[in-house]
């Protein structure tokens, strides 16, 4: 189903993680001449979540294309991410792209950047709050609608009971996903896990399946946890089906093999690319995109009907 079609019916991390601060991506071989700008990208990346590899691939490709020096940094905790935003302000970057998963901590720092005259965009998380914190644009998925679409698919599949597994408690986009699932498939129970500890995730999901054999579907909110859920199902002998948000190569292959029902894709490569490219357009030409509203990169379904087309892009770190 296309993004447009799904919208008519109705945003994770690299393995390094943890308060990283790195240059990179911009290189010295940009295809666009003129002033070389420095753009900071600051995320809430969680260790072990391959989702963020695609964000960074998009950001780096945009930086190369537009002769930008890209400064990428990440911290999983909100206060640490806010500190990284302040560090970028202090270093006098020309533009800033930031995620607002923990908006109460990071939002005021983003607002401080905007108040200093640094063009700022938000992406991936914070779709409801980005305007109040001074961000000019937003790139991401409507996670509430995405969750509702997932719940509708569960109903169509004859689900009786589902669990929705949240790997970062308090993350606004993840909470919105599960709330959306519950809205259209009310017999959904939210289960919290520590996403950085896959052994704990595996045992927690397994214990839940053993405790309640009426569970027919497990919804995870990222590809690594979908693959872990498959292990939990194998451990317990459960017949539950797995659906997920977001993709990686292994999850795409699992969809192709019929082990995962579907993934709801928010196109993280596009989020990373457009966050950087839009700042370049703003800095060089005064452009603002979206007409005052968010620019949606999803949601869209990836399932058996279109997975053969998607797999090559997943292998190239683009989906």
């Amino acid at each position: 189903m296309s993004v447009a079609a799904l919208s008519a019916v109705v945003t994770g991390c690299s393995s390094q993680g943890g308060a990283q601060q790195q240059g990179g991506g911009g290189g010295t071989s940009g295809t666009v001449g003129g002033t070389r700008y420095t753009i900071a990208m600051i995320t809430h990346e969680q260790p072990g979540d391959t989702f963020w590899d695609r964000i960074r691939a998009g950001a780096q490709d945009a930086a190369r294309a537009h002769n930008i020096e890209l400064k990428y940094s990440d911290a999983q905790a909100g206060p640490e991410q806010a500190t990284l935003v302040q560090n970028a302000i202090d270093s006098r970057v020309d533009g800033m792209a930031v995620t607002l998963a923990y908006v109460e901590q990071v939002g005021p720092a983003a607002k401080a950047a905007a108040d200093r005259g640094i063009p700022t965009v938000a992406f991936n998380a914070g779709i409801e709050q980005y305007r109040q914190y001074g961000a000019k644009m937003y790139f991401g998925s409507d996670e509430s609608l995405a969750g509702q679409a997932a719940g509708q698919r569960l109903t169509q599949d004859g689900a009786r009971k589902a669990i929705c597994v949240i790997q970062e408690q308090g993350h606004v986009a993840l909470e919105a996903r599960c709330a959306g699932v519950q809205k259209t498939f009310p017999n959904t129970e939210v289960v919290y896990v520590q996403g950085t500890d896959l052994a704990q995730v595996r045992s927690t999901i397994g214990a839940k399946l053993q405790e309640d054999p009426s569970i027919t579907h497990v919804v995870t909110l990222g590809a690594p946890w979908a693959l872990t859920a498959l292990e939990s199902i194998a451990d317990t002998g459960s017949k539950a089906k797995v659906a997920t948000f977001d993709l990686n190569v292994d999850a795409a292959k699992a969809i192709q093999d019929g082990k995962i029902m579907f993934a709801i894709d928010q196109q993280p490569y596009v989020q990373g690319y457009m966050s950087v490219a839009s700042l370049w357009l703003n800095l060089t030409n005064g452009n603002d995109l979206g007409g005052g509203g968010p620019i949606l990169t999803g949601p869209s379904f990836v399932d058996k009907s279109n997975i053969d087309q998607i797999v090559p892009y997943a292998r190239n770190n683009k989906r």
Side-chain angles (χ1 to χ4, degrees):
M1 181 181 290
S2 69
V3 175
L6 181 57
S7 298
V9 171
V10 215
T11 190
C13 305
S14 78
S15 61
Q16 295 177 2
Q20 305 282 332
Q21 185 153 358
Q22 308 160 42
T28 57
S29 58
T31 60
V32 177
T35 302
R36 182 170 170 82
Y37 293 102
T38 299
I39 289 177
M41 174 171 278
I42 302 156
T43 76
H44 62 279
E45 167 178 338
Q46 186 179 46
D49 189 351
T50 52
F51 173 89
W52 289 99
D53 297 340
R54 286 144 179 81
I55 290 280
R56 293 178 69 176
Q60 289 165 350
D61 281 356
R64 279 189 287 268
H66 298 294
N67 192 28
I68 288 165
E69 181 181 3
L70 178 66
K71 298 290 189 181
Y72 181 92
S73 60
D74 64 85
Q76 185 180 350
E80 293 178 9
Q81 190 188 359
T83 297
L84 292 177
V85 173
Q86 186 59 55
N87 290 346
I89 295 171
D90 294 341
S91 69
R92 299 183 180 180
V93 296
D94 298 300
M96 184 181 298
V98 62
T99 61
L100 297 176
Y102 301 100
V103 67
E104 292 183 1
Q105 292 84 25
V106 183
K111 181 67 161 55
D115 289 346
R116 286 277 294 271
I118 300 172
T120 300
V121 303
F123 69 101
N124 181 256
I127 191 171
E128 300 292 340
Q129 301 91 356
Y130 75 95
R131 294 183 193 86
Q132 74 188 80
Y133 293 109
K136 291 178 175 290
M137 293 167 268
Y138 179 88
F139 299 91
S141 183
D142 187 323
E143 301 296 2
S144 177
L145 294 182
Q148 291 175 50
Q152 290 169 347
R153 286 287 288 262
L154 297 185
T155 300
Q156 292 167 10
D157 196 55
R160 297 192 303 275
K161 181 175 181 179
I163 58 173
C164 190
V165 183
I166 297 181
Q167 72 268 16
E168 292 182 67
Q169 188 167 3
H171 181 308
V172 293
L174 301 184
E175 299 282 354
R177 286 176 175 179
C178 283
V181 174
Q182 289 176 316
K183 187 170 184 177
T184 53
F185 187 75
N187 197 22
T188 299
E189 179 182 350
V190 173
V191 175
Y192 291 100
V193 295
Q194 179 56 50
T196 55
D197 185 348
L198 290 181
Q200 186 266 352
V201 174
R202 182 173 178 172
S203 63
T204 299
I205 295 174
K208 198 68 188 174
L209 293 172
Q210 287 184 316
E211 171 191 317
D212 188 352
S214 70
I215 295 169
T216 58
H217 291 71
V218 179
V219 179
T220 61
L221 305 185
W225 302 282
L227 299 167
T228 302
L230 290 176
E231 295 175 338
S232 301
I233 288 168
D235 293 341
T236 60
S238 169
K239 301 298 184 184
K241 298 179 181 181
V242 174
T244 192
F245 289 72
D246 301 332
L247 278 173
N248 64 14
V249 174
D250 292 333
K253 185 67 167 57
I255 293 172
Q256 200 169 39
D257 293 342
K259 296 177 181 178
I260 293 177
M261 291 175 60
F262 62 81
I264 294 185
D265 185 22
Q266 59 177 305
Q267 301 186 111
Y269 176 88
V270 177
Q271 293 178 18
Y273 190 99
M274 290 305 301
S275 294
V276 173
S278 68
L279 285 167
W280 179 82
L281 284 169
N282 185 267
L283 288 163
T284 60
N285 205 47
N287 296 118
D288 290 319
L289 307 179
I295 296 95
L296 296 182
T297 63
S300 63
F301 279 110
V302 176
D303 56 22
K304 289 286 282 187
S305 70
N306 59 2
I307 189 61
D308 290 343
Q309 177 189 11
I310 299 300
V311 164
Y313 303 124
R315 288 175 179 154
N316 290 332
N317 210 31
K318 303 298 174 90
R319 291 295 292 268

